[in-house]
Amino acid sequence: MEILRRKDSLRNWLIRYSFFFLGLACFGLGVAISVKMQHLGLHPWDVLNIALFERFGLSIGTWTVIIGFILITISLVVSRKYVNLGTFLNALLIGPMMDFFLWLDILPAPGFTWIDYLWLLVGILIVGTGGGLYVSGGIGAGPRDGFMLSMAERTKLSVSKARIIVECFVLLLGYLLGGPVFLVTFLYTFIMSPVFQLSLKFFTRLRNELCNPLPDR
C-alpha cells in the first residue's frame, strides 16, 4: 500500500484519515456483531481475545489492544519497516470501538436460530468492508498484518503461508484456553477475504478520485 507522503496536501490528508478512521469504526462494529454471535464461531484472533477475556477478565477490546501491542513489539524487533503511526492507531482504537458498540447494547442478541447466521454474515461483511476502507487510506497496516509481513520476511515464507501458520497457532491457543471454535471459525477468512479485496479496490479508486494529485517536482 502507498503510505502518506510527507508533502501531501492538507485536503488529501483529511480524506485519507477520514477513510482510515471510518474504516476502523466499521471494523470495530463488525467484530462486535460477530462477538454477539460467537456461538457460531469467530476469526482465530477473536477466539483468542474472548478466551483471554473469559479466563482473566478485563474486556475483549482491552485484550485486542494488549495483543496488538505485543505483535507490534515483535514486529519492531523483526522488521520495523512494517510499523508506523497507522499501526499504533489501529492497535489503540479498534478494541475500544468494539467495546463501545458492545456497551451500547443495541446489537442483536443471539436467538439460536438460522437468523443468527445472517447476523454473523452481516458482521463479517462489515469487518471486510471496514478493513478495505481503512487500508485504502494508506496510513499503514494493522498490527496483525504487520506481524504477518514481518514473519513472512524473516522465515522466507509467502505471506499466505505465514498467515495460515500463525492463525492456526492462534486458533489452537484460543481453543485450549476455552475460546469459541465452531463451524464459522473455519469459514470466516474465506468469506471475509474476498469482501476485503473488493472493498480495498473500490475505496482505493474512490480515494484516488477524491484526492488532488500532487504537482510533479
Side-chain angles (χ1 to χ4, degrees):
M1 279 301 298
E2 175 188 1
I3 305 299
L4 269 176
R5 289 167 288 183
R6 291 181 179 179
K7 296 183 179 180
D8 213 345
S9 68
L10 176 61
R11 181 177 186 274
N12 289 359
W13 276 60
L14 291 174
I15 291 172
R16 291 170 184 265
Y17 273 97
S18 295
F19 276 43
F20 180 75
F21 287 117
L22 183 58
L24 292 185
C26 289
F27 197 97
L29 173 60
V31 174
I33 294 174
S34 301
V35 167
K36 295 288 285 187
M37 303 298 158
Q38 61 181 272
H39 62 286
L40 300 177
L42 291 171
H43 189 274
W45 289 105
D46 296 322
V47 171
L48 177 60
N49 291 330
I50 289 180
L52 291 169
F53 158 68
E54 292 179 344
R55 185 169 288 266
F56 302 109
L58 300 178
S59 72
I60 302 171
T62 300
W63 282 110
T64 300
V65 174
I66 292 172
I67 295 298
F69 273 92
I70 291 174
L71 296 178
I72 288 175
T73 302
I74 297 173
S75 297
L76 285 172
V77 173
V78 175
S79 180
R80 63 177 60 235
K81 71 180 181 181
Y82 296 114
V83 178
N84 49 44
L85 176 61
T87 309
F88 285 97
L89 290 175
N90 183 302
L92 280 172
L93 296 178
I94 285 183
M97 286 178 176
M98 179 185 62
D99 280 346
F100 173 73
F101 286 119
L102 291 172
W103 173 78
L104 286 178
D105 200 26
I106 59 174
L107 300 178
F112 301 97
T113 66
W114 63 270
I115 296 178
D116 290 354
Y117 286 94
L118 293 181
W119 277 117
L120 182 57
L121 178 61
V122 169
I124 295 173
L125 293 177
I126 294 176
V127 168
T129 301
L133 180 55
Y134 86 70
V135 172
S136 71
I139 310 302
R144 289 155 188 79
D145 291 328
F147 177 75
M148 300 291 184
L149 292 169
S150 299
M151 290 298 101
E153 182 177 288
R154 175 55 64 92
T155 60
K156 308 303 181 184
L157 294 171
S158 66
V159 175
S160 60
K161 288 182 179 178
R163 180 181 294 275
I164 290 172
I165 292 171
V166 170
E167 291 189 350
C168 284
F169 173 78
V170 169
L171 180 61
L172 177 61
L173 180 59
Y175 174 74
L176 293 175
L177 289 172
V181 178
F182 295 103
L183 174 63
V184 178
T185 298
F186 304 97
L187 301 176
Y188 202 107
T189 301
F190 294 101
I191 299 173
M192 187 180 69
S193 293
V195 177
F196 170 82
Q197 292 295 336
L198 290 173
S199 171
L200 177 60
K201 183 177 180 180
F202 172 80
F203 287 115
T204 299
R205 184 169 62 248
L206 178 61
R207 184 208 67 192
N208 290 335
E209 291 175 356
L210 293 174
C211 287
N212 292 325
L214 292 178
D216 295 331
R217 297 186 184 279

